[in-house]
Amino acid sequence: MGIKPSYIKNLGEELIVKHRDRFSGDFEENKHAVSEVAVIESKYVRNRVAGYISRKINTRKR
């Protein structure tokens, strides 16, 4: 997909720090969790943030 914009990374990192227990390595679960903990109007941005969080958590497991 390429380089992610800094606002996606910043929002994803902030959500991981504040709500670590709500997120997992599963994109679908993270999509719903991001909707619950953050007010993001755009579905596209929500999905990008959820994907970033999923990827970040999956790489930490390795």
Side-chain angles (χ1 to χ4, degrees):
M1 182 98 195
I3 300 172
K4 292 188 177 27
S6 61
Y7 65 91
I8 299 289
K9 291 180 183 180
N10 292 338
L11 185 55
E13 291 293 335
E14 185 178 334
L15 290 176
I16 288 173
V17 168
K18 290 183 180 178
H19 305 282
R20 177 72 174 116
D21 55 330
R22 307 250 349 219
F23 298 113
S24 68
D26 183 39
F27 171 73
E28 291 295 326
E29 290 177 17
N30 290 343
K31 203 163 62 167
H32 296 295
V34 168
S35 294
E36 292 172 4
V37 299
V39 178
I40 300 175
E41 298 291 325
S42 170
K43 188 189 322 183
Y44 177 75
V45 173
R46 183 202 63 200
N47 288 346
R48 295 284 303 263
V49 171
Y52 177 76
I53 291 171
S54 300
R55 180 164 214 136
K56 196 77 161 166
I57 289 174
N58 285 333
T59 56
R60 287 183 183 173
K61 287 182 181 177
R62 289 186 204 167

